Amino acid sequence: MDLYKISLVILANLIPTLEQLGGIPLGISLGLNPLLTLLVCLCVNSLLFFPVYFGLEFFYEKFFSKIKLFRKYLKKVRREGKPYVEKYGVLGITLYISLPSPFTGTYTGSMLAWLLDLDWKKGFIAIFLGSLIGNLIILGSTLGIFEAIKLLIR
């Protein structure tokens, strides 16, 4: 097992907007086992929930609330994500983050759970499920792309 390559995948997953959208293709392109790559990305993305959710809980009033751009971003997150939660309950967060695209990943979903004052346990389950679905979509897409490239090279 190559810890350097796994570390790169972890780092890619920690970058907001990149997350598993970059981590899975990176891991596959580095030659890591696809299942290992999926598990690393799922763990990192799911566990990101805790520092984001509780970081906002503890530091929003003292620090983050003073940053205008951050307040504006949170307002956008609430506006875009709230309809999902109103329609589907906590699973709305799962749906919101499951389709891979920038600005609808684990960071945003965790912020949404905090903004809507959801119980952290339910929020975490929603993030885990959304990350799992998103990871599976990205893994399937990535493997499809690499298989297509292999066919073209032959």
Side-chain angles (χ1 to χ4, degrees), residues 8-61:
L8 291 175
V9 171
I10 290 170
L11 286 173
N13 276 273
L14 293 174
I15 298 171
T17 71
L18 190 58
E19 300 170 35
Q20 71 258 27
L21 199 53
I24 289 177
L26 176 62
I28 301 296
S29 69
L30 291 173
L32 290 174
N33 177 294
L35 183 58
L36 173 65
T37 302
L38 176 94
L39 291 174
V40 168
C41 291
L42 179 60
C43 288
V44 171
N45 276 278
S46 297
L47 294 175
L48 270 173
F49 171 82
F50 295 104
V52 174
Y53 185 93
F54 290 110
L56 285 168
E57 185 76 22
F58 293 117
F59 299 112
Y60 181 76
E61 288 299 321

Side-chain angles (χ1 to χ4, degrees), residues 125-136:
I125 291 170
I127 294 297
F128 176 81
L129 292 173
S131 292
L132 176 61
I133 294 166
N135 275 308
L136 290 171

Side-chain angles (χ1 to χ4, degrees), residues 64-79:
F64 296 121
S65 66
K66 295 168 180 38
I67 304 170
K68 184 178 180 179
L69 186 62
F70 190 74
R71 286 193 323 267
K72 191 174 179 179
Y73 181 69
L74 285 180
K75 193 175 192 177
K76 179 182 182 265
V77 168
R78 180 190 298 265
R79 183 180 68 247

Side-chain angles (χ1 to χ4, degrees), residues 91-107:
L91 285 179
I93 292 177
T94 298
L95 296 172
Y96 183 70
I97 73 164
S98 64
L99 293 176
S101 67
F103 302 108
T104 61
T106 303
Y107 285 99

